[in-house]
Amino acid sequence: MPPEITPSVLDPLRAHPWIDAAVHDGDEIRVLLRPGATAVQADLGPLVREYLDHWTEVYDFTYATAGDRAGGPSDLAGWRASDTGDALPVAHMTDWIERTVELVLAARPRHVLELGCGTGLLADRLDPHVEGYVGTDVAEEVIARHRAKARPGRAFVRAAAHDADTDDVRQALTRAGFPAAGPDCVLINSVTQCFPDVAYLTRVVRDAIRLVAPGGTVVVGDNRHAGLLDAYCRWLERAADPQADDDSIAARARARARRDDELNFDPAVLATAATGSGRDVRIAVYPKTMIADTELTRYRFDAVLRVDPEAPPVRTGTRTWAGIDDAHAAIATGEPIRIENIPNRLLDAGPNAVTAHHLRATLGTADAAVVLDDADPTRLALVAPADAAFVPVSARPGHAHEPFTAFVDRRVGEVVRKACRRAGIDHRGLVVSAERGIPVQRIADAANRVVDVTDARRLPAFLSDLDHVARLAMADTIAAAGLDAAPPGADEEAIAAALGVAPRHRWILRRWLGTLVDARMLATDGHGYYDLRAPGRAALVAAADDIDRARRGLGYPPELTRFFQSAVQYLRALLRDEIALQALLFADGETDTAEGAYRDNAVNRYVNAAAAETVRWASRWHSTDEPYRVLEVGAGVGGTTVDVLDALATLPVDYLFTDVSTFFLDDARRRFAGRAGLRYGRFDINADVSAQGVEAGALDLIVGANVLHNAVDIGTTLMSFHRLLRPGGLLVFVETTREIHQILTSMQFLMSPRPGGDRPGARDRRAGTDQIFLDETQWRDELSDAGFRPLLCLPDPDHPLHAVGVHLFVAST
């Protein structure tokens, strides 16, 4: 029997400074942590500090008992083999030091900042080669020793890796005579394994990039590779029990990997961290090239980040590994080359396998480098010249083993069991799980499951073709104004008069003119427009017909291309206000076209599935018997409603479906007839929300799809939403994040104001710009300014649908 959990247990948990929500489900208590509990920006969260304090104690003890014989074996305190527990050989560690120093000095730095200097293994070897050196470490004992013997140009400060960009460290840089531009190398070596998670790693790396001088480097060395964690654990288990069968070894290795208490990550994680720095960064990833076969040589890697380099990246040809002689011949040609798919003999005993040390040794004085394979850490590559190792960073999926997860689970479990003991409840058999915020990967995976990968990759190109046809249509329509082939041409006023553009649509004409100029289909001297390159009606019709053929293999609804073709046909009438876009969008009173726009296509299936998974996750934390209260604004044809309702199927709901149009409300009553918990009503995001029948602070969720851009003042609208949500409530919305030219020739007509009304954006950052859609960064800024905490934006930059420019945003109060 699971223990009976009463309010006397859950109420104290919900009041705990670490905990945002707690729910009881059978024999499990699920806890949602407050964002501040695990924060790594600004002030560290208390759980992060606890985790780091543990490592501080470890190194304080290690260094305090190591003696003070510089350069001797005491410098190597703590360097022990994981398989035997014996100290790693001095010769091997000397090789390790020399290779790391070589890596640092390759860029000829003059001023080095080392984060986590330890006993000075690297500092002492770098000393003769640099003008200034500052070392930091968390261990008070070791910093005191360094300070006692520091000479001019050297400074040491007690600081953690996340303190690099603090006054204490900056003052130390000044004392050591560093230039105003900062260090030209920041060294972070054999430190990352002590970091709690990727978020902390990202902060440290970005701080280091921000500190380093233009043209400098950030060396992140001796990192444990997440892609080799399983192999490392198998190696340890086999060493412990050479006679065990393979299945037993594999099971033990999986268990060991789960409880591994150090951070493991792959190079993609590091590259992704660097992309958010705001600087031009290139990365090179190297295997360890020491002679001896140890865990350091097998399972670790070095990375060097170049920041704001002057030279462009080196472009190479590629060649498959065919042995040492073939590689030397290829390098000797002097042509930039990358030789791939080289088996690392320490990890892969296949044909032509070599060690990284052997490759490096055979290169001699050649301008080449041994690097780690991008995709497979058991493989190596050779690049020539050596600078070809550096490639621009990009955000891409990476893998990590984060020890902080197990630490948090353990600490939260202690809090829960303590609450049970105080309430007199037997907690044996009780499962405790903790979540640290929104599960981004789970949500992304749910979205990916509803989209065909091939379609996702082809869709951006198809939509780009749609935009091309839209530009052709703009040019064909404007051609009626009779623009000359040379200056002075006609100004906007004259073009509008010639086309009979309705005053409320003049802004659309301006966007067209700017779009055509940007596409070099129209010229301007800043006053008049001329040299219009219009395709002619026959070419336009043919291009539109090609679009219809192209969409058939993409799961793209035919109603949408027919609607687009109709809009193209009636563009001049739309500009003149002789026909309303609604007549084309809702032909014969049907909603098929609108459903195609907001539901029945790949990108909307993706964002709607992501929205549903977000709501499914959020609703799991609903801990009262009251219905889950939802307001959907601008619900329209219910393209997102269906998925959100399905996500809430297990909960009682009070779901208010709203729109400004009675047409949509009547259609929804028919569509969702019989669904429990649904109400319907008018709601205008530009009107006073307090007068529209929604109680302040009572909502769990606000949903909006393709509606918030219609706000006259986005900031005011978002702040009103914030007031309607309870603490911890969610705002989940879909928005277009770029200008889409086919929308400029269709849906944008719906955004022109009625006489006396305001156009979207008239009173916010878009005022005076004719801009309708905010980009991702602008949305995050608006949410933060309104008091929201942005949690999620999908698809990610590396996703093929990112280029489409339609995103799901999630934010919390």
Side-chain angles (χ1 to χ4, degrees), residues 684-771:
D684 185 351
I685 63 172
N686 290 313
D688 181 3
V689 298
S690 63
Q692 298 188 67
V694 181
E695 181 184 351
L699 294 176
D700 295 290
L701 172 68
I702 295 177
V703 179
N706 304 291
V707 64
L708 296 192
H709 60 259
N710 289 308
V712 173
D713 183 338
I714 282 176
T716 298
T717 296
L718 290 176
M719 284 189 284
S720 71
F721 286 174
H722 195 282
R723 289 193 296 272
L724 294 178
L725 287 162
R726 64 166 180 79
L730 287 189
L731 171 62
V732 177
F733 65 97
V734 175
E735 267 300 335
T736 299
T737 53
R738 70 172 180 90
E739 182 168 278
I740 298 176
H741 295 160
Q742 59 121 335
I743 291 179
L744 264 176
T745 56
S746 55
M747 294 293 194
Q748 214 104 328
F749 284 94
L750 296 175
M751 300 166 203
S752 293
R754 292 296 176 187
D758 287 322
R759 189 160 52 79
R763 297 198 289 273
D764 60 28
R765 67 167 69 204
R766 298 169 291 172
T769 67
D770 292 327
Q771 179 187 2

Side-chain angles (χ1 to χ4, degrees), residues 482-489 523 529-532:
L483 296 187
D484 296 329
Y529 295 90
Y530 56 92
D531 194 20
L532 176 68

Side-chain angles (χ1 to χ4, degrees), residues 489-616:
D491 63 14
E492 180 195 319
E493 289 284 345
I495 296 170
L499 297 177
V501 178
R504 75 190 191 99
H505 293 321
R506 279 283 296 275
W507 72 283
I508 292 180
L509 174 64
R510 283 195 299 273
R511 297 308 297 264
W512 287 10
L513 294 172
T515 297
L516 293 176
V517 168
D518 290 342
R520 300 186 179 181
M521 297 173 66
L522 181 65
T524 182
D525 59 4
H527 302 287
Y529 295 90
Y530 56 92
D531 194 20
L532 176 68
R533 300 180 184 181
R537 175 59 56 165
L540 173 60
V541 170
D545 287 344
D546 286 343
I547 287 294
D548 192 51
R549 284 190 288 272
R551 63 100 193 139
R552 293 172 190 169
L554 281 172
Y556 208 75
E559 293 83 5
L560 274 184
T561 48
R562 286 201 290 269
F563 164 65
F564 179 56
Q565 289 167 327
S566 296
V568 166
Q569 180 181 353
Y570 292 105
L571 269 185
R572 189 167 181 186
L574 288 166
L575 279 176
R576 290 170 171 265
D577 241 358
E578 293 171 348
I579 185 172
L581 188 78
Q582 289 90 331
L584 306 178
L585 187 59
F586 303 108
D588 302 320
E590 297 296 326
T591 62
D592 292 353
T593 299
E595 289 178 31
Y598 298 126
R599 181 172 177 81
D600 297 330
N601 60 79
V603 68
N604 284 101
R605 285 196 297 274
Y606 177 95
V607 292
N608 288 342
E613 188 64 23
T614 300
V615 172
R616 188 173 290 109

